[in-house]
Amino acid sequence: MSAMPAAPEGTPPDGAAARRPLPPRPRNEWRAAVRPAIISLVSIVIVFGGLALWITSSAQWPRVQLQFFNLDAMIAAFPRVLQGFWVSMRIWLTALLCIGLWALVLAVVRSLRSPWFTPFRLMVVVYIDIFRGIPVLLLVLLFGFGIPALNLPGLPNSGLFWGSVAMVLSYSAYVAEIYRSGIDAVHEGQWAAAKSLGLSEWQTMIYAVLPQALRNVLPALMNIVVALQKDVALLSVIGVRDAVREAQIYTAQTFNYSSLVVAAGLFLLATIPMARLADYVTRKDRERRLQRAG
Amino acid sequence: MSIPRIAIDGVTKYYGQTLVLDEVSLDVAPHEVVCLIGASGSGKSTLLRCINRLVDFDHGEIRLDGISVEDAQFGHTGLQKRIGIVFQSYNLFPHMSVLDNITLAPRKVHKIAREAAEARARELLGLFGMAEHALSYPEQLSGGQQQRVAIMRSLATRPEVLLLDEVTAALDPELIGEVLRIIRQLKDEGMTMVIVTHEMGFARDVADSVCFLEGGRILERGDPKTMFAAPQNERTEKFLQRIIEAGRL
Ligand SMILES: Nc1ncnc2c1ncn2[C@@H]1O[C@H](COP(=O)(O)OP(=O)(O)OP(=O)(O)O)[C@@H](O)[C@H]1O
Ligand SMILES: [Mg+2]
């Protein structure tokens, strides 16, 4: 027998009509909410306080503080590191735009099915293989040092430009594959429906498939956006005066690493909100899928 | 005798090495409703998809009003304008409103102005009792409503022929009626239709003739009442027997 609540006095045995459900168990709402919070707080203070005490009381701490967390050095380095960081973020945004568009072109060309596109599809396959297979750093060095050295007429000569081009080419290969997975995930029936309505392959892509594909891959794209935000720091190796470069210059002059910590702090300030946004988008996307499935 | 609206003439179709349609011939007169029945895998969907060239066939010919569907005069979109198809799984565009689903092809393919296309869409929505859902999205609709939208979408360009592929197979039993009612309405308006269905009661009711397919061949064609009562071919008889045992006739 299952544990049925006993029917109240005077109810007929089958008594659905007169039956009243049990009331909720009385709870002290305030205590239920506050007690865990207080426990967490106390626990945090004990653990982190203990850690801080242990670290700062060690014999090496003053040296670490002097080298990495020197407030005077931080203040002195801050303006130029911030200026470099601004350069980093501008590169990031520009590259993002270029990657988003160029990768879309690659993915669409690769996904079109008409035999006329075969040579272009092949080109895209080779492109993706090459640029996914070479480390970004190597590409940045090759483009950023190599091409300006050629002194090509009519083309920009700056390391910043060619280094950014390398980033865009490399990242586009990854992003194109993400787009393509989104395009492939669109149900075959959508193609059949579009074709039966007379839409050309191109129109099918633009009106029916891509909007769904982009929505499918938004979470994956957001993670790329965050990764790129950090990877623009690679351009410092070819002398682009971004946050890392500026911090390094300061370090070289003073033999103090606090400027690098400032740069790290600035990057965190930018990447943590982006990562949270990525998490949010991912969660929303999962909810949407569950809703549709349910 | 007048020329048939659709003339299927010895059509053979392979998927790779698999023979799916084996010299199928079938004429459909204007305003005629033909139901295709047969076991799973007998080639019913493939035959429908050959008619509007969703798939290409290997041999034979299909003519619309006497002109081969492969004729250049249909261009890329002429055939699709005149032959509509509706699928079992609706295949509505999930990111578009009902109105946009219906007006997409008229506007983008046939270059009809938005106002005219929307007027036509709203006329259809009114006709099929869905006027208040014009701005809904497919996922906000029941299966029966989605399938009605799919039918309207295929009617937006005023086709002369409608192909229906098991349009009620994915629906809950209580939603089937509303879709079947629309098909009956279309028949009354004189639409030429080729219908693949497992609803034998509906086939008997709405079809002018029924074709039984097996192994890519049409084994028997006849008037539904006669055929269901006294099938000529023993394979048809066996198939109908199974259907009756499953309680669907
Ligand atoms: N795209 C395809 N590629 C390869 N084989 C296919 C393809 N589509 C269908 N077939 C095969 O062709 C045969 C006929 O398929 P078809 O879908 O026309 O059958 P059907 O009568 O509509 O069946 P059902 O009642 O299950 O829908 C089947 O054997 C099927 O496996
Ligand atoms: Mg089928």
Side-chain angles (χ1 to χ4, degrees):
Chain A
M1 276 297 289
S2 63
M4 283 282 292
E9 212 78 51
T11 326
D14 63 334
R19 194 180 158 277
R20 209 179 293 146
L22 294 173
R25 181 163 124 198
R27 277 177 224 277
N28 190 329
E29 299 283 343
W30 188 82
R31 264 183 59 182
V34 168
R35 243 177 67 158
I38 290 177
I39 294 176
S40 308
L41 210 67
V42 170
S43 169
I44 285 173
V45 168
I46 292 174
V47 172
F48 286 101
L51 269 176
L53 212 67
W54 179 63
I55 291 172
T56 52
S57 67
S58 78
Q60 319 298 332
W61 173 246
R63 271 181 52 213
V64 172
Q65 196 182 17
L66 196 67
Q67 281 294 313
F68 290 94
F69 300 101
N70 185 327
L71 203 60
D72 291 337
M74 280 177 163
I75 291 169
F78 186 75
R80 57 193 299 176
V81 175
L82 185 66
Q83 200 180 3
F85 185 69
W86 175 231
V87 173
S88 299
M89 290 300 100
R90 278 204 328 244
I91 297 172
W92 171 62
L93 280 175
T94 316
L96 210 55
L97 204 73
C98 299
I99 292 164
L101 291 176
W102 177 228
L104 195 60
V105 171
L106 293 172
V108 167
V109 169
R110 186 157 183 189
S111 298
L112 290 176
R113 300 163 183 206
S114 153
W116 288 106
F117 287 105
T118 308
F120 301 106
R121 269 202 301 274
L122 270 177
M123 274 155 64
V124 172
V125 170
V126 171
Y127 172 97
I128 290 176
D129 277 349
I130 289 178
F131 283 98
R132 271 203 317 186
I134 303 177
V136 197
L137 178 59
L138 196 56
L139 285 171
V140 167
L141 288 171
L142 264 175
F143 278 71
F145 282 141
I147 297 187
L150 291 179
N151 258 324
L152 294 174
L155 285 176
N157 229 344
S158 80
L160 182 139
F161 177 81
W162 287 108
S164 306
V165 167
M167 301 282 301
V168 169
L169 292 178
S170 173
Y171 261 75
S172 297
Y174 289 95
V175 174
E177 287 297 276
I178 293 177
Y179 280 144
R180 194 167 69 97
S181 73
I183 292 172
D184 285 351
V186 173
H187 197 271
E188 191 60 36
Q190 296 284 311
W191 287 93
K195 191 174 176 194
S196 76
L197 289 170
L199 272 72
S200 67
E201 196 180 1
W202 182 247
Q203 287 175 319
T204 305
M205 195 53 107
I206 298 290
Y207 296 117
V209 175
L210 272 188
Q212 297 180 60
L214 293 183
R215 219 170 158 182
N216 288 342
V217 299
L218 195 58
L221 287 182
M222 286 301 296
N223 288 318
I224 289 283
V225 169
V226 178
L228 181 69
Q229 210 168 19
K230 292 176 297 175
D231 271 2
V232 287
L234 285 175
L235 294 186
S236 65
V237 299
I238 52 169
V240 172
R241 300 193 60 160
D242 69 342
V244 177
R245 190 72 192 169
E246 291 289 359
Q248 271 182 323
I249 293 171
Y250 186 84
T251 301
Q253 289 164 354
T254 61
F255 301 104
N256 187 296
Y257 298 100
S258 300
S259 57
L260 285 172
V261 173
V262 171
L266 286 173
F267 271 106
L268 283 179
L269 230 53
T271 52
I272 288 178
M274 283 310 292
R276 286 288 166 279
L277 184 63
D279 290 348
Y280 174 79
V281 168
T282 308
R283 202 172 59 240
K284 278 281 161 223
D285 180 67
R286 197 170 48 228
E287 278 168 17
R288 182 174 65 85
R289 279 164 204 271
L290 283 178
Q291 213 168 34
R292 186 167 291 175
Chain B
M1 209 194 122
S2 62
I3 48 168
R5 177 121 297 162
I6 294 175
I8 300 170
D9 198 352
V11 164
T12 297
K13 159 82 186 164
Y14 284 87
Y15 274 120
Q17 294 301 308
T18 323
L19 177 63
V20 181
L21 294 176
D22 185 4
E23 294 194 34
V24 172
S25 294
L26 170 69
D27 285 354
V28 183
H31 313 302
E32 192 182 13
V33 175
V34 175
C35 278
L36 305 179
I37 62 171
S40 182
S42 54
K44 307 180 296 291
S45 299
T46 308
L47 183 57
L48 278 197
R49 284 158 183 253
C50 285
I51 295 175
N52 73 341
R53 293 200 68 197
L54 262 185
V55 296
D56 288 321
F57 41 93
D58 298 80
H59 304 287
E61 191 175 64
I62 298 180
R63 291 182 297 274
L64 174 65
D65 289 335
I67 298 160
S68 166
V69 293
E70 291 170 305
D71 195 292
Q73 81 169 70
F74 285 117
H76 290 296
T77 59
L79 198 67
Q80 278 71 27
K81 187 168 187 293
R82 295 175 56 184
I83 305 180
I85 188 167
V86 183
F87 305 93
Q88 172 177 342
S89 49
Y90 336 133
N91 298 349
L92 294 176
F93 303 124
H95 57 291
M96 292 184 195
S97 70
V98 165
L99 202 62
D100 288 344
N101 263 283
I102 300 175
T103 55
L104 179 68
R107 286 175 49 207
K108 301 300 176 191
V109 180
H110 306 295
K111 309 295 177 199
I112 294 171
R114 175 190 279 271
E115 295 73 36
E118 290 194 349
R120 166 69 176 156
R122 289 195 186 274
E123 176 197 353
L124 283 166
L125 285 163
L127 220 54
F128 295 155
M130 288 193 58
E132 73 275 22
H133 291 294
L135 299 179
S136 304
Y137 282 81
E139 63 186 3
Q140 299 168 319
L141 302 176
S142 75
Q145 289 170 327
Q146 291 189 48
Q147 192 57 291
R148 276 143 73 191
V149 173
I151 294 174
M152 286 181 248
R153 181 174 68 175
S154 67
L155 292 174
T157 53
R158 303 179 194 277
E160 298 135 57
V161 178
L162 201 56
L163 311 172
L164 303 170
D165 193 357
E166 298 192 39
V167 291
T168 57
L171 297 179
D172 293 335
E174 74 270 20
L175 301 179
I176 291 178
E178 61 190 57
V179 173
L180 296 186
R181 205 159 40 244
I182 283 183
I183 299 172
R184 233 172 250 130
Q185 199 176 330
L186 289 171
K187 177 190 162 74
D188 294 341
E189 288 164 13
M191 180 67 78
T192 308
M193 289 188 277
V194 183
I195 303 175
V196 174
T197 186
H198 286 134
E199 301 282 330
M200 295 302 154
F202 175 70
R204 179 163 53 193
D205 186 32
V206 81
D208 298 308
S209 72
V210 173
C211 295
F212 172 68
L213 268 81
E214 190 176 91
R217 302 186 64 95
I218 295 182
L219 293 191
E220 185 170 351
R221 176 178 188 178
D223 154 72
K225 291 176 186 76
T226 332
M227 189 162 143
F228 289 172
Q232 299 300 302
N233 188 303
E234 61 171 314
R235 309 293 308 170
T236 319
E237 194 175 352
K238 275 220 177 79
F239 175 76
L240 290 172
Q241 195 63 45
R242 279 208 307 278
I243 295 279
I244 290 168
E245 280 162 17
R248 303 190 68 161
L249 182 61

